């Protein structure tokens, strides 16, 4: 049997090739797309294998799991060199503990949360980078703002001194076909362009976090600059 490290290294290589191919198809370089390796399916030991296979950004969707892994891998993080992104829902009472561990919040989805991140960043004298989560599929079960709410949120963000909004995050609807996903991704790109004039000095619409294992190539073709890929990295590996 192949060792987990080898399997993961092969999976990472395949995902990176697919990223490069999709980027080339839309006239961009592979470097213009950031791969967030989503490690929520595996323990800290296997998570480290992903970093060692050349993934510089690791993503977790649950704050508590991120805290636990960040602690377990603290030493390794310095040796291997990787950073954490929080890609899932964040409760306001978990902001303080999460802030020092992550370099980007993907899923800020309420004005109260945005203000809480700003407050925590101010207290730590740092600037927190965030994306704003938009609910593009209109799915009521999903987090995120409706597109029409975004100008108002950007206006509120412009008043906050300790955050920097760098773009949007979106998830395609769960049941969607790749054609529907493509339309949703294109709509996010269009929304970002239309919001450009509404951005204050601390905001920009350059980053688009969209696309997961089943559709990250489509997302890149439609303008994603960040893709969040989990399952594809662990094909053939035991999950916890
Ligand atoms: C789990 C997760 C992903 C990765 O999904 P895969 O289908 O496993 O690639 C991406 N984004 C978010 C927010 C997630 O929770």
């Amino acid at each position: 049997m192949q060792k987990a490290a080898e399997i993961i290294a092969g999976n990472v290589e395949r995902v990176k090739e697919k990223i490069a191919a999709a980027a080339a198809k839309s006239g961009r370089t592979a470097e213009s797309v950031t791969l967030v390796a989503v490690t929520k399916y595996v323990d800290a030991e296997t998570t480290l294998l992903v970093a060692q296979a050349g993934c510089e950004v690791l993503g977790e969707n649950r704050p508590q799991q991120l805290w636990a892994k960040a602690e377990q891998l603290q030493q390794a993080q310095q040796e291997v060199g990787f950073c954490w992104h929080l890609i899932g829902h964040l409760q306001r009472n978990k902001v303080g503990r999460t802030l020092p561990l992550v370099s980007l919040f993907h899923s800020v989805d309420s004005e109260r949360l945005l203000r809480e991140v700003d407050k925590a960043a101010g207290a730590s004298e740092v600037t927190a980078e965030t994306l704003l989560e938009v609910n593009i599929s209109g799915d009521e079960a999903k987090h995120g703002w409706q597109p029409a709410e975004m100008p108002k949120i950007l206006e509120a963000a412009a008043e906050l001194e300790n955050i920097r909004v760098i773009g949007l995050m979106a998830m395609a609807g769960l049941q969607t076909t790749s054609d529907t996903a493509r339309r949703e991704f294109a709509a996010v790109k269009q929304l970002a362009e239309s919001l450009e004039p509404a951005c204050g000095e601390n905001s920009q619409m350059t980053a688009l976090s969209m696309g997961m294992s089943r559709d990250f190539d489509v997302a890149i073709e439609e303008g994603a600059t960040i893709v969040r890929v989990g399952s594809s990295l662990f094909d053939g590996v035991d999950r916890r």
Side-chain angles (χ1 to χ4, degrees):
M1 222 184 84
Q2 244 184 326
K3 290 234 280 293
E6 286 171 32
I7 299 173
I8 287 174
N11 290 345
V12 168
E13 199 177 307
R14 268 187 296 281
V15 167
K16 286 189 170 176
E17 279 168 9
K18 207 167 152 186
I19 288 174
K25 217 166 148 182
S26 53
R28 293 190 290 152
T29 63
E31 290 72 37
S32 70
V33 181
T34 300
L35 168 63
V36 177
V38 179
T39 52
K40 66 188 179 194
Y41 305 109
V42 297
D43 60 13
E45 198 183 336
T46 310
T47 295
L48 181 56
L49 297 178
V50 175
Q52 286 168 333
C55 292
E56 289 154 13
V57 185
L58 305 183
E60 286 282 330
N61 67 329
R62 298 235 173 97
Q64 288 100 322
Q65 282 189 20
L66 193 149
W67 301 343
K69 277 192 189 168
E71 190 177 327
Q72 285 170 285
L73 297 175
Q74 199 176 16
Q75 180 79 25
Q77 184 170 6
Q78 283 168 13
E79 287 162 14
V80 181
F82 57 86
C83 66
W84 292 103
H85 286 187
L86 182 73
I87 61 168
H89 187 61
L90 178 62
Q91 297 82 9
R92 279 179 300 143
N93 63 358
K94 300 197 173 73
V95 168
R97 190 160 167 195
T98 307
L99 178 75
L101 303 174
V102 304
S103 53
L104 181 65
F105 292 98
H106 283 234
S107 39
V108 171
D109 58 1
S110 77
E111 193 175 325
R112 293 204 308 174
L113 177 60
L114 193 65
R115 290 186 185 283
E116 190 66 32
V117 172
D118 175 67
K119 199 171 103 191
S124 306
E125 299 185 6
V126 296
T127 300
E129 289 208 336
T130 77
L131 301 171
L132 303 176
E133 181 169 359
V134 54
N135 182 343
I136 206 69
S137 63
D139 186 340
E140 298 223 339
K142 284 241 157 60
H143 293 290
W145 284 286
Q146 297 302 318
E149 298 177 283
M150 298 311 295
K152 192 176 127 268
I153 295 309
L154 281 168
E155 207 174 295
E159 306 293 317
L160 304 176
E161 292 181 354
N162 311 295
I163 57 161
R164 206 159 80 83
V165 173
I166 63 168
L168 302 178
M169 180 264 202
M171 313 245 282
L174 268 187
Q175 309 299 337
T176 53
T177 62
S178 87
D179 271 356
T180 314
R182 186 182 292 280
R183 274 200 301 278
E184 290 177 359
F185 295 142
V188 177
K189 169 81 176 168
Q190 227 174 30
L191 175 65
E193 282 170 1
S194 75
L195 289 174
E196 206 61 74
C199 285
E201 264 176 37
N202 65 342
S203 303
Q204 58 193 60
M205 285 290 134
T206 42
L208 296 181
S209 168
M210 53 189 195
M212 326 202 312
S213 289
R214 65 190 169 124
D215 52 22
F216 68 86
D217 50 343
V218 174
I220 291 168
E221 286 171 32
E222 298 303 327
T225 68
I226 306 176
V227 291
R228 309 177 307 268
V229 180
S231 320
S232 298
L233 303 176
F234 303 107
D235 284 344
V237 179
D238 284 344
R239 299 182 187 190
R240 67 174 169 207

